[in-house]
């Protein structure tokens, strides 16, 4: 309590006697002689209290400062802990990246080696291609000249002559003749059954049963009117004839370098022909998907002989064989005689290849 506060209190007691009476119980009476001493003591106590308050305030400020420093230190420690965790995570990421980088480097080295090998191969191929291009240009230059065109025609004539000779050997191996009597056969050259494509005159083909191959005639009777009383030897002769025709067609196709649409599986009188048509008629939903459509396509095999009582499959096999002969006829520019003339079409194919017009075309 300072001096001014004491004076205010004294004034209040003088101006308000009731307060003096009310505070009599708490007021300690002091002699006037001791008043100055007591006042000095109170003054010193007031000074000490003020000094203590100032020290207290100073200590509070220091304590507040220390608390703030402690709080900041704790915050710094938390931040350092977070930074340490982030650093550990960064080290782990760096380790993973280092391992991946090592693997990627090894892969890059392998790819570089592969690319260098491919580049070397490309260089070699480029050199070969350059040489082939030069040779092609030289060949084109020679062909554009009159002498080169003549040379090309001569090569083509030689090739056709070679094909004609090889197919003539097939004709000798499997001679197709016209049966004009019980024991008489007419040679191949005396029969002309068709004409070139573009010519309107087409000769009437000979009867299927009047043509023989190696003395065996092909009759469709076993395939259309088979019964229990049918001559089994006749069925066997037809199967053998079809085996001869299939072998002859296969040889001619290889000499002419024509891939047959319906491939043959040769086996003499037990030969087969393959059909790559869809085995099941595809639905409209199948047509929308190529994969679904290709799943329905599979190779079907048909016998070129009477297999038990299944005449339909054998007849279809003969039909496909005739289609192969038609393909070869169309390749050399000859019209087919029809879908039911296997022997006549084969005879016309052999005759046309052995004619002089074949070499000059």
């Amino acid at each position: 309590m300072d001096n001014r506060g004491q004076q205010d209190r004294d004034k209040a007691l003088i101006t308000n006697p009731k307060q003096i009476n009310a505070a009599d119980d708490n007021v300690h009476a002091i002699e006037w002689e001791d008043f100055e001493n007591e006042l000095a003591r109170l003054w010193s106590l007031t000074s000490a209290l003020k000094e203590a308050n100032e020290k207290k305030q100073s200590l509070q400020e220091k304590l507040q400062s220390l608390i703030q420093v402690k709080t900041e230190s704790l915050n710094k420690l938390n931040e350092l802990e977070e930074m340490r965790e982030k650093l550990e995570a960064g080290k782990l990421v760096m380790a993973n990246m280092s391992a991946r980088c090592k693997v990627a480097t090894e892969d890059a080295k392998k790819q570089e080696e592969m690319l260098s090998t491919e580049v070397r191969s490309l260089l070699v191929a480029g050199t070969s291609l350059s040489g082939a291009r030069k040779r092609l240009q030289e060949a084109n230059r020679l062909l554009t000249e009159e002498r080169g065109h003549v040379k090309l025609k001569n090569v083509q004539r030689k090739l056709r002559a070679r094909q004609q000779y090889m197919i003539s050997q097939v004709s000798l191996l499997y001679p197709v003749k016209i049966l004009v009597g019980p024991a008489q056969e007419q040679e191949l050259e005396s029969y002309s059954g068709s004409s070139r494509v573009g010519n309107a005159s087409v000769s009437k083909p000979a009867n299927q049963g009047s043509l023989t191959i190696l003395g065996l005639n092909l009759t469709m009777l076993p395939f259309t009117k088979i019964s229990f009383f049918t001559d089994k030897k006749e069925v066997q002769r037809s199967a053998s004839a079809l085996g001869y025709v299939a072998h002859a067609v296969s040889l001619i196709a290889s000499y002419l370098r024509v891939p047959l649409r319906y491939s043959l599986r040769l086996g003499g009188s037990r030969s087969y022909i393959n059909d790559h048509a869809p085995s099941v008629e595809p639905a409209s939903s199948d047509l929308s998907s190529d994969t679904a459509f290709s799943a329905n396509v599979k190779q079907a095999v048909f016998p070129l002989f009477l297999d038990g009582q299944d005449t339909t499959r054998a007849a279809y096999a003969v039909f496909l064989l005739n289609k192969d002969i038609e393909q070869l006829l169309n390749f050399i520019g000859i019209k087919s005689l029809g879908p039911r003339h296997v022997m006549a079409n084969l005879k016309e194919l052999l005759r046309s290849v052995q004619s002089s017009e074949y070499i000059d075309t």
Side-chain angles (χ1 to χ4, degrees):
M1 181 182 300
D2 54 1
N3 200 10
R4 184 176 180 180
Q6 184 65 30
Q7 292 177 358
D8 292 338
R9 184 173 179 276
D10 293 339
K11 288 180 180 181
L13 292 174
I14 293 172
T15 56
N16 193 359
K18 294 181 179 182
Q19 293 183 358
I20 296 174
N21 295 326
D24 285 338
D25 295 334
N26 297 326
V27 174
H28 178 66
I30 300 173
E31 296 294 334
W32 179 256
E33 291 82 4
D34 298 331
F35 177 73
E36 291 182 358
N37 294 331
E38 189 67 22
L39 184 62
R41 188 178 65 81
L42 292 174
W43 179 259
S44 63
L45 289 174
T46 302
S47 299
L49 180 61
K50 181 179 179 180
E51 185 178 355
N53 288 332
E54 290 177 353
K55 289 182 179 180
K56 179 181 178 181
Q57 184 68 27
S58 177
L59 289 174
Q60 286 180 351
E61 291 177 356
K62 291 181 179 179
L63 181 61
Q64 188 68 27
S65 177
L66 290 175
I67 291 173
Q68 185 177 0
V69 171
K70 185 67 175 178
T71 304
E72 292 178 355
S73 299
L74 290 175
N75 293 334
K76 293 291 184 182
L77 287 175
N78 292 333
E79 291 178 358
L80 288 174
E81 185 66 23
E82 292 178 359
M83 292 177 65
R84 189 183 66 81
E85 292 177 356
K86 290 180 180 180
L87 181 61
E88 293 295 332
K91 288 182 179 179
L92 183 60
V93 172
M94 289 296 294
N96 294 333
M97 291 179 65
S98 178
R100 292 179 182 178
C101 183
K102 186 177 180 180
V103 173
T105 303
E106 294 177 356
D107 292 340
K109 288 182 179 179
K110 292 180 181 179
Q111 291 181 2
E112 184 178 358
E113 293 176 357
M114 293 174 61
L115 285 175
S116 61
T117 304
E118 292 179 358
V119 167
R120 288 193 295 268
S121 301
L122 286 175
L123 290 175
V124 174
T127 304
S128 302
L129 181 61
S130 178
R133 182 178 296 175
K134 291 180 180 178
R135 291 192 295 270
L136 180 61
Q137 290 175 354
E138 183 66 20
N140 289 333
R141 186 182 64 80
L142 293 175
L143 286 176
T144 53
E145 298 177 356
E146 183 178 357
R147 183 180 301 177
H149 182 69
V150 173
K151 185 176 180 180
L152 178 62
K153 293 296 290 184
N154 291 334
V155 171
Q156 288 179 345
R157 286 176 60 87
K158 289 180 180 179
L159 177 61
R160 288 180 177 271
R162 181 63 178 171
Q163 291 175 342
Q164 189 181 69
Y165 172 75
M166 297 171 73
I167 293 175
S168 67
Q169 298 301 310
V170 176
S171 179
L172 293 176
L173 180 63
Y174 296 110
V176 179
K177 300 179 181 180
I178 300 176
L179 184 64
V180 295
Q184 295 179 349
E185 290 181 337
Q186 189 174 355
E187 293 297 331
L188 173 67
E189 290 76 15
S190 62
Y191 172 73
S192 177
S194 181
S195 64
R196 293 261 168 196
V197 173
N199 192 347
S201 61
V202 179
S203 302
K204 184 178 179 180
N207 187 3
Q208 183 81 3
S210 65
L211 293 174
T212 62
I213 180 169
L214 275 180
L216 298 177
N217 61 336
L218 176 62
T219 175
M220 300 303 293
L221 179 61
F223 302 120
T224 56
K225 297 180 180 179
I226 187 68
S227 67
F228 181 77
F229 301 100
T230 304
D231 188 2
K232 300 301 184 292
K233 291 184 178 179
E234 186 177 1
V235 173
Q236 183 61 35
R237 284 194 296 268
S238 296
S240 299
L242 285 173
Y244 295 155
V245 173
H247 191 203
V249 170
S250 178
L251 291 175
I252 294 171
S254 64
Y255 296 154
L256 296 179
R257 294 187 178 182
V258 177
L260 293 175
R261 185 176 294 110
Y262 306 104
S263 58
L264 294 165
R265 194 170 75 188
L266 302 176
S269 61
R270 288 295 181 267
S271 299
Y272 294 86
I273 190 166
N274 300 320
D275 184 11
H276 299 276
S279 59
V280 179
E281 191 69 23
S284 58
S285 59
D286 295 334
L287 296 177
S288 60
S289 175
D290 294 337
T291 56
F293 179 71
S294 60
N296 293 329
V297 178
K298 109 178 146 171
Q299 178 176 312
V301 182
F302 296 92
L304 285 167
F305 56 90
L306 194 60
D307 188 8
Q309 301 295 323
D310 193 358
T311 61
T312 304
R313 290 175 58 83
Y316 185 67
V318 175
F319 171 77
L320 295 180
L321 178 62
N322 187 66
K323 283 295 182 181
D324 282 342
I325 301 174
E326 288 183 6
Q327 180 185 358
L328 296 174
L329 284 170
N330 294 332
F331 178 76
I332 63 175
I334 301 297
K335 285 184 178 180
S336 170
L337 299 176
R340 297 183 180 180
H341 302 285
V342 177
M343 297 287 284
N345 283 329
L346 177 61
K347 184 178 187 302
E348 179 60 19
L349 176 62
L350 293 171
R351 186 201 65 80
S352 300
V353 173
Q354 295 180 78
S355 65
S356 59
E357 291 87 357
Y358 178 75
I359 297 179
D360 295 332
T361 55

